[in-house]
Amino acid sequence: MVFAIAAPMTLAFLTTPLLGLVDTAVVGRLGDAALLGGLAIAAILFDLVFTTFNFLRSSTTGLVAQAMGRDDPTEEQAVFWRSLMISVVAGVAVIAATPLLLAAGLAFMGAEGEIAAAASIYLVIRALSAPAALANYAILGYVLGRGMGTTGLLLQTVINGTNIILSIWLGLELEYGLQGVAWATVIAEITGCLVGLAIIHIRFDRAHSPSWKQIIDRASVMRLMALNGDIMIRSFALIIAFAWFTRLGTGFGETTLAANAILMNFFMVAGYYLDGFATAAEQLAGRAIGARHRPAFDKAVRLTVFWGFALAGFTTGFFLIFGEAVIGLMTTLETVRLEAGSYLFWAALTAVAGVLAFEMDGVFIGATWSRDMRNMMLLSLVLFIGLSLALTELWGNQGLWISLNIFLAARGFTLLAILPRRRDQAFGTA
């Protein structure tokens, strides 16, 4: 069961950082470091908003999995419709708030001149995808909550495959550059949303369709909102950490900022690559909680953590061996290549440092223990900010990467320390 979910979703999630690599490579081959820096800043600002709304995917997965464990198909569908409504409203709000986000974000990141101009162009265009992109979170959440890993792979492949093809075609072949890369994302998100809605509509069990009254049930909506609130704060804090990382990197100059942007894609590859087993943990832990079956919960935790660390070790080794070659494919600027190579070890290490956090996130999302996730994230964020200020004074950008690795590890080990107590509360002492 673990591999039936994890294997296709590992492949699916891997397409997302592959998209980041392609976008960076397309812009990097335009031969302008300012465009590359602008893309990095715009991507951070965009993720600041969209990853904050990742609760739509996470909460949907956990609640659908628990309903499945209780054998309650009507509630499974009701959870999806609630999340979809929130997604559409939030997407429209994001479009309306784009000018404010842009002004505040560029000021916070300290972006000026050509870098700020490039970031503005990308962000304004890509924000138009907000309603479809957030709806895709709800769609994927339902699919994963049901344990439909192959369908999840299909949807992610449609979205990211379309995006990659259009980024290359619009960005390089038609020479629209950064604007082409942004429009590729908008078109891909809309395409994926339409395909996802069609698949779910076909597969819904009409005999157990919820009524409108059940969908807007006050207690259920309030539970979803409380869960969403905790996960939103956790996601927002995570993006704040990466924004802080980019902000400090900006202070080291244009070349270092571009190098960090390239290396951050290594972490994104590792993160999404490892998220397949975290997704398996979400679904299986959620089902075990819904069925109140402790042995299944314990086994899901052991298996997903073990295989997560195995993949993390492989990923770190791969980047240590082939990382410089990958950097060479992503930029034609020799100064940026050399700068990125200086920090390759720390970028490769993020896979091992962060794997436990990914797996614990999966368990806690499936179990809907959202408050603990929120609190441990905030604690780790404070630790990261303090360490980054201290270590960058000592070792510059090296210290920044060391601080990031410590932050990732702290998230995982703090949640692991809480896990036994939460498990006993859910199932009773063994």
Side-chain angles (χ1 to χ4, degrees):
M1 291 176 69
V2 167
F3 275 94
I5 301 170
M9 289 316 300
T10 294
L11 295 175
F13 289 139
L14 189 58
T15 63
T16 298
L18 179 60
L19 168 63
L21 288 169
V22 170
D23 284 354
T24 302
V26 169
V27 177
R29 291 196 167 272
L30 298 177
D32 188 340
L35 290 179
L36 196 57
L39 174 65
I41 288 176
I44 284 290
L45 294 177
F46 192 85
D47 288 344
L48 179 64
V49 176
F50 275 58
T51 305
T52 299
F53 283 104
N54 193 48
F55 64 77
L56 295 166
R57 204 282 297 168
S58 301
S59 62
T60 304
T61 298
L63 293 175
V64 168
Q66 290 186 17
M68 187 178 182
R70 295 193 305 271
D71 194 22
D72 188 353
T74 300
E75 179 61 15
E76 292 177 27
Q77 296 183 37
V79 169
F80 168 73
W81 290 119
R82 291 176 199 129
S83 295
L84 186 64
M85 288 188 296
I86 295 172
S87 300
V88 174
V89 172
V92 173
V94 167
I95 294 177
T98 297
L100 179 61
L101 168 68
L102 187 58
L106 292 179
F108 173 75
M109 301 297 287
E112 298 177 346
E114 293 182 359
I115 291 178
S120 299
I121 291 171
Y122 181 86
L123 189 66
V124 168
I125 296 173
R126 190 173 173 185
L128 297 175
S129 69
L134 296 184
N136 284 330
Y137 286 172
I139 292 168
L140 185 60
Y142 174 81
V143 165
L144 296 182
R146 289 280 303 161
M148 298 158 57
T150 302
T151 303
L153 170 60
L154 171 64
L155 293 175
Q156 292 299 100
T157 302
V158 167
I159 295 171
N160 295 324
T162 301
N163 203 338
I164 288 170
I165 293 170
L166 290 179
S167 290
I168 296 172
W169 183 54
L170 295 175
L172 292 180
E173 294 297 323
L174 298 185
E175 299 183 351
Y176 288 120
L178 189 62
Q179 295 183 49
V181 170
W183 278 114
T185 301
V186 175
I187 297 170
E189 292 287 2
I190 294 173
T191 301
C193 182
L194 294 175
V195 172
L197 289 174
I199 290 174
I200 289 179
H201 177 73
I202 292 171
R203 296 193 178 186
F204 265 164
D205 182 357
R206 300 295 188 276
H208 296 94
S209 295
S211 65
W212 178 249
K213 183 178 180 180
Q214 289 172 306
I215 293 173
I216 62 171
D217 174 68
R218 185 175 180 350
S220 298
V221 171
M222 292 304 294
R223 183 188 181 199
L224 177 61
M225 294 304 294
L227 180 59
N228 284 344
D230 288 336
I231 299 177
M232 182 177 69
I233 294 171
R234 167 258 184 193
S235 299
F236 185 75
L238 182 61
I239 292 300
I240 285 292
F242 293 131
W244 179 256
F245 177 91
T246 304
R247 176 66 181 87
L248 290 187
T250 303
F252 297 123
E254 190 176 87
T255 300
T256 299
L257 175 64
N260 283 351
I262 289 173
L263 292 175
M264 187 54 72
N265 281 292
F266 286 24
F267 169 72
M268 299 303 291
V269 167
Y272 285 101
Y273 184 55
L274 297 171
D275 228 7
F277 284 100
T279 301
E282 290 179 29
Q283 206 276 339
L284 296 176
R287 285 181 64 181
I289 290 287
R292 299 192 61 79
H293 188 52
R294 178 170 177 155
F297 180 88
D298 290 343
K299 197 165 189 178
V301 172
R302 288 197 302 270
L303 286 172
T304 53
V305 168
F306 172 80
W307 285 109
F309 269 102
L311 277 178
F314 169 81
T315 305
T316 292
F318 176 87
F319 283 135
L320 287 175
I321 296 171
F322 300 107
E324 291 190 0
V326 175
I327 292 169
L329 292 174
M330 295 178 67
T331 180
T332 58
L333 298 173
E334 187 63 24
T335 55
V336 175
R337 288 182 182 181
L338 292 174
E339 186 75 5
S342 301
Y343 315 115
L344 176 60
F345 172 79
W346 299 112
L349 192 63
T350 56
V352 172
V355 61
L356 187 59
F358 285 107
E359 301 308 321
M360 289 297 101
D361 276 356
V363 171
F364 278 67
I365 286 171
T368 59
W369 297 332
S370 57
R371 184 175 300 179
D372 295 318
M373 290 177 58
R374 178 198 67 191
N375 292 343
M376 294 305 101
M377 173 61 79
L378 292 175
L379 178 63
S380 300
L381 177 61
V382 171
L383 174 65
F384 172 58
I385 292 175
L387 279 175
S388 64
L389 290 173
L391 296 185
T392 52
E393 285 292 324
L394 293 174
W395 300 310
N397 199 50
Q398 296 276 6
L400 184 58
W401 278 100
I402 293 171
S403 301
L404 179 65
N405 277 277
I406 294 174
F407 163 70
L408 295 172
R411 287 186 54 229
F413 282 102
T414 52
L415 288 174
L416 181 64
I418 294 173
L419 180 61
R421 177 160 52 93
R422 286 289 176 259
R423 180 189 57 193
D424 289 344
Q425 290 173 348
F427 299 104
T429 55

